[in-house]
């Protein structure tokens, strides 16, 4: 979550020809990450343990930024809680919610009454997210919102299953990581310049760490360099399976490594916890025939049954 003050003071926000301010760029990247993550998580849900119910809606709180009034003006919000992203084809999208709509109430309870401003400032939107998630887990949630310049409208959303991973853009890193519950990508991560399938491959790699419970394993047995290397191989090898189910070309996993590796091989790819990028390409390419061999006529592949992990669950 971006917590700094957006650089809005030097811009005329009513000028249609003005350059985009940093907060708009951040929103664009977070929207892209969220939509890719939703696609991967929902299409692989049948094979994930502990699937959760999601709406395809990502919220942010104008009050959590340094200049709340400027943020509300920038995104034409009529309150603090704005829609940061809506995943294509999701329950939220089908209900008519759009980016930069303002959430007014949840299950008939107004935002101000049910979720007052809190300290630290980021806490309120997390509490609101948890309330919506709990309602979806129980069956459905009613949302009331207003589009810029429009009248309030309401709809009841019923969630869809998804692998239990959140996708977050963060402003204090340039890399990507997974912690067991989240995939976190830095706002300055170079992969945002890639096309969608290639960026999706990176997201699939980090999501694979969560699916395979690598953080849980290492929390239990301790950090072991040799086993970390094996876990990276498993995450690489699961990438094309996850991509296949989400409707991306599984070979995008190879493309990502070929594009990323030569430019960044001096970083993690030279650490003893990771193979060289060319070795990683070989591992991924060896999985592609298996993905295609086990794909159903509809294109779905049951990686839970057919994927062979190298790092056993400890």
């Amino acid at each position: 979550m971006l917590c700094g003050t957006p650089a809005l003071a030097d811009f005329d926000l009513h000028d249609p020809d003005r350059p985009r301010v940093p907060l708009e760029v951040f929103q664009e990247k977070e929207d892209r990450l969220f939509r890719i993550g939703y696609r991967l998580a929902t299409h692989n849900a049948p094979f994930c343990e502990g699937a959760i119910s999601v709406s395809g809606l990502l919220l942010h709180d104008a009050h959590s930024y340094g200049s709340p009034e400027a943020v509300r003006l920038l995104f034409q919000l009529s309150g603090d809680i704005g829609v940061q992203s809506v995943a294509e084809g999701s329950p939220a999208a089908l209900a008519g919610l759009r980016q930069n709509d303002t959430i007014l109430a949840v299950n008939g309870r107004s935002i101000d009454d049910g979720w007052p401003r809190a300290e630290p400032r980021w806490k309120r939107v997390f509490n609101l997210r948890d309330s919506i998630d709990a309602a979806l887990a129980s069956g459905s949630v009613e949302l009331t919102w207003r589009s810029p310049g429009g009248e309030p409208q309401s709809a009841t959303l019923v969630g869809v299953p998804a692998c239990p991973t959140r996708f977050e853009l963060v402003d204090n890193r340039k890399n990507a990581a997974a912690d067991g519950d989240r995939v976190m990508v830095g706002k300055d991560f170079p992969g945002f310049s890639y096309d969608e399938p290639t960026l999706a491959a990176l997201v699939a790699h980090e999501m694979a760490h969560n699916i395979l419970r690598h953080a849980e394993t290492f929390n239990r047995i301790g950090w072991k360099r040799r086993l970390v290397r094996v876990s990276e191989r498993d995450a690489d090898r699961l990438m094309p399976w996850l991509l296949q189910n989400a409707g991306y070309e599984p070979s995008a996993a190879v493309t990502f490594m070929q594009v990323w590796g030569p430019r960044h091989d001096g970083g993690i790819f030279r650490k003893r916890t990771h193979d060289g990028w060319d070795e990683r390409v070989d591992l991924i390419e060896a999985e592609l025939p298996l993905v295609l061999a086990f794909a159903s006529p509809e294109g779905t592949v049951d990686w839970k049954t057919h994927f062979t992990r190298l790092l056993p669950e400890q």
Side-chain angles (χ1 to χ4, degrees):
M1 176 176 293
L2 188 67
C3 297
T5 302
L8 302 178
D10 297 330
F11 296 91
D12 178 1
L13 298 179
H14 299 290
D15 180 3
D17 297 321
R18 64 170 174 79
R20 290 184 303 162
V21 300
L23 195 55
E24 291 173 300
V25 177
F26 186 92
Q27 184 186 65
E28 178 183 297
K29 290 180 178 179
E30 187 161 48
D31 173 62
R32 192 176 180 206
L33 172 62
F34 180 76
R35 288 186 288 102
I36 289 172
Y38 177 89
R39 182 168 165 179
L40 286 164
T42 55
H43 284 78
N44 283 284
F47 314 109
C48 280
E49 295 183 10
I52 59 175
S53 188
V54 299
S55 65
L57 183 68
L58 180 66
L59 304 178
H60 67 144
D61 185 351
H63 186 65
S64 69
Y65 299 96
S67 302
E69 292 183 5
V71 173
R72 290 192 290 268
L73 176 62
L74 176 66
F75 295 126
Q76 301 181 59
L77 303 178
S78 53
D80 280 340
I81 305 301
V83 175
Q84 183 79 328
S85 179
V86 180
E88 183 179 358
S90 68
L94 295 175
L97 282 148
R98 298 292 181 265
Q99 187 180 68
N100 295 330
D101 286 350
T102 303
I103 302 299
L104 305 175
V106 177
N107 285 333
R109 194 175 185 184
S110 73
I111 295 299
D112 289 339
D113 289 341
W115 298 270
R117 292 175 177 176
E119 292 295 338
R121 290 186 173 191
W122 51 262
K123 188 174 181 180
R124 174 168 63 164
V125 77
F126 279 40
N127 292 339
L128 179 59
R129 180 197 67 190
D130 291 345
S131 296
I132 292 174
D133 287 352
L136 291 171
S138 298
S140 64
V141 64
E142 182 188 30
L143 298 180
T144 302
W145 71 92
R146 179 185 288 117
S147 298
E151 295 297 322
Q153 50 189 313
S154 298
T156 298
L157 278 61
V158 176
V160 296
C163 298
T165 289
R166 299 188 188 280
F167 303 88
E168 297 181 7
L169 187 69
V170 293
D171 64 345
N172 58 353
R173 64 170 70 216
K174 296 182 179 180
N175 61 349
D179 67 359
D181 300 310
R182 300 173 296 168
V183 167
M184 298 165 289
V185 181
K187 68 179 180 65
D188 296 321
F189 181 70
F192 282 110
S193 66
Y194 303 162
D195 62 27
E196 181 167 321
T198 308
L199 178 59
L202 174 277
V203 179
H205 172 91
E206 300 300 340
M207 181 176 157
H209 282 302
N210 290 344
I211 288 173
L212 298 172
R213 300 183 177 179
H214 287 156
E216 182 179 325
T217 295
F218 290 115
N219 285 337
R220 191 164 54 246
I221 68 173
W223 190 88
K224 302 178 188 296
R225 181 181 289 117
R226 178 181 62 84
L227 295 182
V228 171
R229 192 176 187 123
V230 176
S231 75
E232 291 296 331
R233 291 171 181 169
D234 276 351
D236 285 343
R237 294 171 50 248
L238 188 55
M239 289 163 67
W241 301 76
L242 301 178
L243 291 169
Q244 170 74 20
N245 283 344
Y248 295 111
E249 283 293 332
S251 60
V254 173
T255 303
F256 169 76
M257 208 61 67
Q258 290 173 330
V259 173
W260 173 268
R263 301 176 185 177
H264 304 277
D265 208 9
I268 63 170
F269 293 94
R270 289 303 181 194
K271 292 182 179 179
R272 294 175 65 185
T273 52
H274 295 70
D275 295 309
W277 71 267
D278 48 347
E279 297 170 296
R280 299 177 79 174
V281 166
D282 291 342
L283 285 169
I284 296 168
E285 287 184 331
E287 292 294 313
L288 296 179
L290 298 176
V291 172
L292 298 178
F294 289 115
S296 70
E298 295 76 26
T300 303
V301 58
D302 181 358
W303 48 259
K304 186 176 182 180
T305 299
H306 300 296
F307 176 76
T308 302
R309 56 189 298 164
L310 302 174
L311 179 68
E313 294 187 71
Q314 303 292 320

